[in-house]
Amino acid sequence: MTEPKAGTPKAGAVPDAATGPAEVLDGGSRRRSGTPRFRTGVPLPLLLPALGGLVFLVLPLVALLVRAPWRSLPDQLTSVAVWQALRLSLITATAATAVALVLGVPLAWLLARARFPGRRLVRALVTLPLVLPPVVGGVALLLALGRNGIVGRWLDSAFGITLPFTTAGVVVAEAFVAMPFLVISVEGTLRAADPRYEEAATTLGASRFTAFWRVTLPMVAPGVAAGAVLAWARALGEFGATITFAGNFPGRTQTMPLSVYLALQSDPAAAIALSLVLLAVSIAVLAGLRDRWMAAS
């Protein structure tokens, strides 16, 4: 019986932890120890539901592309009604995002940095519009900001401001449902940012607001931008709260989702064309955020 050559591990030998990963022979196969041994097989009870879920999510989008009126699509997209709805949607979604930025970034900072009683309750209230049915949100906005609402009555009598069934009402409804996306994104980024830079700025004489504006905000700018994109996309696709609080008036409150809903009843080809526009916007948003949410894969 011959001794193995120096440097050749024995079959089934356990590698020395001090020497790091080493190749060992096991049953005639060669593998590298010290590295995870991944299983390539997927259990059938998991594989089948996973494929079913993938088909369930992708099939409607495929159907939309298959049934799209590609020949008449240019005429559909250049019609006055489509451009009117698209223009109004872009304006109101951008305005709603601006409102969400002005109000949501300070709110996110408050939740991430300040310590006060009831902070968990405030966070729950902020995220409530995420799970609240949009139609219920529209009814709540009517009760708060309608002409007979608890605040809307005062706005109407004191300043002559009426929000329901106006373009400004569309902005309010979209900001109501979109702002939680921005707050959650910015709060998470603020929690990940090192607060010592902010504390160092205050020790050098800067006020808390100056430290936030000159130090913290530049650090969390990518998170703010990602939250703004999410809020803008959510505002662009808003339907329930908008039709409940602002109505459906062409040129004034009829946004793209509302126009799709109406066109589906009278002109399905136009509805598909409008849906393709919203689908393209969604893909563009996903592509813009790929580095933030898809890089880990």
Side-chain angles (χ1 to χ4, degrees):
M1 185 174 182
T2 59
E3 290 292 330
K5 295 180 180 179
T8 304
K10 297 179 180 179
V14 178
D16 187 1
T19 59
E23 288 185 346
V24 298
L25 298 176
D26 187 5
S29 63
R30 184 181 295 272
R31 68 181 176 88
R32 183 175 293 278
S33 64
T35 58
R37 187 177 183 181
F38 296 103
R39 296 177 180 271
T40 57
V42 179
L44 196 61
L46 294 179
L47 179 62
L48 292 180
L51 292 177
L54 181 62
V55 171
F56 176 72
L57 293 176
V58 174
L59 182 61
L61 304 179
V62 173
L64 183 63
L65 295 174
V66 170
R67 298 296 297 274
W70 295 106
R71 293 184 178 179
S72 61
L73 190 61
D75 296 333
Q76 295 284 354
L77 295 179
T78 54
S79 65
V80 176
V82 170
W83 277 107
Q84 198 175 51
L86 179 60
R87 176 176 171 274
L88 182 63
S89 294
L90 294 177
I91 292 174
T92 55
T94 304
T97 304
V99 172
L101 281 169
V102 172
L103 302 179
V105 173
L107 182 56
W109 183 89
L110 194 70
L111 292 173
R113 290 287 193 266
R115 299 290 182 270
F116 57 91
R119 189 175 59 163
R120 293 184 176 180
L121 177 61
V122 173
R123 182 179 292 110
L125 293 176
V126 168
T127 56
L128 186 59
L130 290 177
V131 296
L132 192 69
V135 175
V136 178
V139 173
L141 287 173
L142 276 176
L143 296 177
L145 301 175
R147 287 186 175 179
N148 294 321
I150 55 177
V151 177
R153 180 184 305 174
W154 172 74
L155 289 176
D156 190 19
S157 61
F159 303 101
I161 298 176
T162 303
L163 292 176
F165 310 108
T166 63
T167 303
V170 177
V171 176
V172 171
E174 291 179 348
F176 177 76
V177 299
M179 193 165 70
F181 289 87
L182 182 135
V183 173
I184 291 175
S185 177
V186 176
E187 185 193 357
T189 308
L190 281 168
R191 288 183 178 279
D194 193 344
R196 288 178 296 180
Y197 294 102
E198 204 171 333
E199 295 170 359
T202 56
T203 57
L204 294 175
S207 64
R208 293 299 298 270
F209 178 76
T210 302
F212 165 76
W213 184 257
R214 303 290 295 273
V215 177
T216 306
L217 194 57
M219 284 196 304
V220 301
V224 175
V229 172
L230 279 178
W232 185 83
R234 178 63 184 89
L236 190 69
E238 163 51 30
F239 179 83
T242 302
I243 197 171
T244 305
F245 183 64
N248 185 17
F249 301 101
R252 191 171 66 183
T253 64
Q254 188 178 93
T255 56
M256 287 282 285
L258 275 62
S259 184
V260 170
Y261 176 74
L262 283 183
L264 193 59
Q265 303 175 24
S266 58
D267 189 359
I272 296 174
L274 290 167
S275 300
L276 286 176
V277 175
L278 293 178
L279 178 62
V281 172
S282 302
I283 293 174
V285 170
L286 187 62
L289 296 175
R290 68 186 187 281
D291 293 336
R292 182 174 179 82
W293 285 343
M294 300 178 64
S297 62

